[in-house]
């Protein structure tokens, strides 16, 4: 994208320079409270439905829904929540439909990554919506066939998040931190988007990482693609730093779970660990990316451990989570190198 294009030159640098506002301590405390209430209620659904799988999936849904909350007006928050739910459910269905198309799925996946990569990191709601949709598409394509428990769990988790958002709006309100999703969308349509070369490289690297993960017989190739998707779509100036933080954050979270894993064979103990690690995510995410990744890794592993118990599986999940994430980071570093070179060449034109 050259300086003579319809997109302003400043827009091309938007994914390098603009930063979201820093939340206040009260806002961070309220965010932790939202996670505590939502995750606790989600896990309790296991007893309501007499199915631990429902509680595990509802817990993961609350994690996604609350992170995508734009924290603006109540109508904006609820509409954003509904849109996120519909998009991820459609993506899961699309992945299920495309699973048996050996060549068509790669083309559609590449196009989806390309479109998502055009969304700037600073437009948090749409950036997360794109990432969540891609994650459900990847999981459904490569690793997991949606089940009744998964559909019920995710539906209940998003519904619980909606209740928590309503209560938050009237009782726990702290700071008006977010921008309306429609305002973000108007800026995106008006030209505030990542450069085309960024989206092209992102699509190529994601497809390459997934294809090579399958070639080398990785147990869960979708996790490789998920790591690449999250790491690539960030500010290039912070990309390498974030990759290092992702590696060490994953390692720290992995070691933490490994140390606790022999004792984490009861739902009550796992539930406490899930809620505690989940509460740390919104606290560290805007302030310390290393600790945030440690908390996210621990939360996801504990939630997967919950589902592992529910499905009667074994403990090899921890090993492939670490290996797949590190390989995804390696692919991301390659993509970031290509992006930095391309960006430098574009600046000279």
């Amino acid at each position: 994208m050259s300086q003579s294009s319809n997109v302003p030159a400043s827009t091309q640098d938007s994914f390098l320079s603009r930063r979201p506002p820093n939340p206040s301590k009260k806002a961070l405390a309220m965010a932790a409270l939202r996670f505590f209430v939502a995750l606790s209620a989600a896990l309790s659904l296991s007893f309501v439905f007499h199915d631990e799988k429902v509680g595990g999936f509802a817990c993961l849904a609350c994690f996604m829904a609350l992170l995508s909350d734009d924290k603006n007006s109540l109508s904006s928050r609820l509409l954003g929540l509904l849109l996120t739910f519909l998009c991820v459910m459609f993506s899961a269905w699309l992945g299920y439909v495309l699973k048996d198309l050996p060549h068509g799925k790669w083309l559609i996946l590449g196009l989806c990554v390309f479109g998502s990569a055009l969304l700037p990191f600073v437009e948090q709601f749409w950036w997360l919506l794109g990432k969540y949709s891609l994650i459900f598409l990847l999981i459904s394509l490569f690793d997991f066939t949606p089940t009744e428990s998964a559909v019920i769990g995710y539906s209940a988790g998003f519904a619980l998040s909606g209740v928590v958002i309503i209560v938050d709006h009237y009782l726990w309100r702290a700071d008006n931190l977010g921008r309306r999703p429609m305002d973000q969308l108007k800026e995106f349509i008006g030209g505030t988007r990542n450069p085309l070369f960024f989206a092209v490289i992102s699509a190529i690297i994601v497809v390459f990482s997934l294809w090579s993960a399958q070639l080398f017989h990785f147990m869960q190739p979708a996790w490789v693609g998920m790591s690449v998707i999250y790491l690539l779509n960030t500010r290039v100036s912070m990309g390498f730093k974030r990759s290092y933080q992702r590696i060490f954050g994953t390692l720290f979270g992995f070691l933490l779970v490994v140390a606790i894993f022999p004792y984490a064979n009861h739902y009550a103990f796992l539930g406490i660990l899930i809620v505690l690690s989940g509460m740390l995510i919104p606290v560290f995410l805007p302030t310390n990316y290393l600790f945030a990744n440690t908390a996210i890794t621990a939360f996801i592993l504990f939630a997967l451990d919950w589902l592992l118990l529910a499905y009667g599986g074994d403990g090899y999940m921890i090993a492939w989570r670490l290996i797949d994430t590190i390989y995804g980071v390696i692919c991301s570093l390659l993509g970031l190198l290509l992006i930095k070179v391309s960006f430098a060449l574009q600046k000279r034109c």
Side-chain angles (χ1 to χ4, degrees), residues 269-308:
F269 184 41
L270 269 176
I272 294 173
L273 295 174
I274 289 171
V275 173
L276 289 178
S277 57
M279 290 174 64
L280 294 176
I281 294 172
V283 174
F284 288 128
L285 200 57
T287 58
N288 191 307
Y289 193 69
L290 174 65
F291 290 164
N293 272 286
T294 301
I296 289 172
T297 300
F299 170 83
I300 292 176
L301 284 174
F302 287 137
L304 290 177
D305 195 13
W306 176 288
L307 290 171
L308 203 66

Side-chain angles (χ1 to χ4, degrees), residues 213-249:
Q214 283 194 314
L215 180 66
F216 297 133
H217 304 291
F218 278 63
M219 290 184 63
Q220 302 288 340
W223 284 101
V224 176
M226 287 162 55
S227 298
V228 175
I229 286 169
Y230 268 104
L231 275 174
L232 277 188
N233 203 355
T234 184
R235 301 176 189 88
V236 173
S237 59
M238 296 175 62
F240 286 91
K241 179 181 178 181
R242 280 180 175 255
S243 295
Y244 298 141
Q245 291 174 330
R246 178 66 181 267
I247 291 175
F248 288 110

